[in-house]
Amino acid sequence: MSLCIAIIDNNEVFLMADTLLSFPEKTGKKPFHGLKIFFLNQNIAIAYSGAAGKIAHSRLYAIYTQGHKGNIKLLAKQICKSFDDKVDFLLAQSGEKPMITKISEGKISILEDDGIYWIGDADAANYVSKLDGNNRFQLQYNFENVIANSQFPTVGGHCVVARGKIEGFKLIPYMGLISPNYVQKTEDWETVDFGSAQTGGFGYTTVTPSKEGINGWGIFYFQGMYGQFWRVDFELNVLEVLKAYAANVEEFIKIIQDEIDIELDYCGSLGSK
């Protein structure tokens, strides 16, 4: 299944989704990981739940090419008319009047004030949004807890976060660090030992395009010295995964930037430079 959540908070709109892509058990196909959040243009974002792989990409590409990217209400109606109800969508519009539309089971819902819409695993969605006074940071924290919780097997991988401001949508880079060796000895500032692969240390930074409206998302694992980047280009009808080993995230980004000619950002670095 999966989980995608969209919220309007303080006149900004946020989209969050996991990266686990799975098939119905009867197919016998193994799950894999990929993107569920895409930008149709600088101010229109779309997320999906209910399909995977080439099926999902072909539908997203058809949505991109059929137009209506300046009006998500009209685009939602067109999606309902053109596609069956096996795939649910969230459409989000940034700008002076942010808006979210939800397309689920052939029905359209519209949100223009602060609030939350979701598609995917209902139990996981309830867990993520269960606390009062939700904001983007709390929701992302809850979302990451759902991914790590074995009670929600249809949600997994990592949390992908997009933020829509007046200027448009961008994917947000962030970092995760787990230290198996760190025990605070004093109340003063201390250097944290985040460990190595041998000692169970685990850390990563996500890697995202620097400019608004550019698709693509990646992750670099510090201890593994390895990264992946999902390249998406609707103009060229390209969806591919680029992989590379590097001593650090800066080297990884250089490898990917040289390949795709898109400026990339990251949140933080760990290890040798």
Side-chain angles (χ1 to χ4, degrees):
M1 191 173 285
S2 70
L3 178 63
C4 303
I5 289 181
I7 65 168
I8 296 175
D9 181 29
N10 291 324
N11 212 41
E12 294 183 346
V13 59
F14 296 88
L15 273 173
M16 302 179 194
D18 69 323
T19 59
L20 182 65
L21 295 166
S22 58
F23 299 90
E25 291 186 8
K26 63 182 180 181
T27 66
K29 297 181 179 179
K30 294 183 179 180
F32 61 103
H33 292 274
L35 287 183
K36 301 174 188 176
I37 296 176
F38 305 89
F39 305 141
L40 300 181
N41 63 23
Q42 189 162 312
N43 291 98
I44 303 293
I46 187 169
Y48 74 89
S49 173
K54 294 182 179 179
I55 295 175
H57 179 71
S58 64
R59 295 188 182 208
L60 290 166
Y61 181 69
I63 290 169
Y64 177 83
T65 56
Q66 72 183 0
H68 304 306
K69 294 186 288 291
N71 185 324
I72 64 171
K73 290 182 180 179
L74 183 59
L75 181 57
K77 292 179 181 178
Q78 189 66 29
I79 290 172
C80 274
K81 180 180 178 181
S82 304
F83 302 99
D84 57 42
D85 58 4
K86 293 182 181 180
V87 182
D88 294 338
F89 295 96
L90 289 175
L91 288 165
Q93 178 175 294
S94 67
E96 295 182 359
K97 295 182 179 180
M99 183 188 308
I100 301 166
T101 65
K102 174 180 177 178
I103 306 156
S104 179
E105 298 180 348
K107 299 179 181 178
I108 299 173
S109 304
I110 299 173
L111 180 67
E112 299 182 83
D113 299 312
D114 285 8
I116 302 174
Y117 272 160
W118 61 268
I119 53 176
D121 190 310
D123 291 334
N126 289 333
Y127 183 94
V128 172
S129 58
K130 66 182 180 180
L131 298 178
D132 293 333
N134 277 324
N135 55 48
R136 191 267 290 185
F137 301 101
Q138 183 65 55
L139 285 172
Q140 183 176 349
Y141 177 79
N142 292 353
F143 204 122
E144 291 170 357
N145 285 339
V146 162
I147 288 175
N149 193 329
S150 60
Q151 292 181 338
F152 307 103
T154 68
V155 183
H158 293 282
C159 181
V160 178
V161 184
R163 180 181 191 177
K165 303 195 296 183
I166 295 293
E167 299 84 0
F169 273 101
K170 283 180 63 176
L171 290 161
I172 301 175
Y174 66 91
M175 184 166 63
L177 296 172
I178 298 175
S179 171
N181 299 324
Y182 176 65
V183 177
Q184 188 169 351
K185 298 178 181 179
T186 70
E187 294 183 358
D188 297 327
W189 288 97
E190 299 177 10
T191 300
V192 178
D193 180 4
F194 287 101
S196 63
Q198 290 76 18
T199 62
F202 178 73
Y204 62 86
T205 179
T206 63
V207 176
T208 62
S210 303
K211 296 182 180 180
E212 290 83 3
I214 304 298
N215 284 297
W217 183 89
I219 188 165
F220 181 80
Y221 299 99
F222 299 125
Q223 283 82 359
M225 298 182 182
Y226 169 76
Q228 295 182 325
F229 188 85
W230 282 264
R231 180 192 179 197
V232 180
D233 189 324
F234 286 126
E235 287 286 344
L236 301 176
N237 194 17
V238 171
L239 174 63
E240 62 180 351
V241 184
L242 305 176
K243 304 176 182 180
Y245 288 93
N248 50 58
V249 65
E250 293 86 356
E251 289 185 11
F252 171 73
I253 283 179
K254 185 179 186 306
I255 293 171
I256 302 301
Q257 285 184 159
D258 289 346
E259 177 73 18
I260 65 176
D261 195 28
I262 294 174
E263 184 180 354
L264 302 173
D265 286 337
Y266 64 99
C267 181
S269 183
L270 182 69
S272 60
K273 293 187 177 181

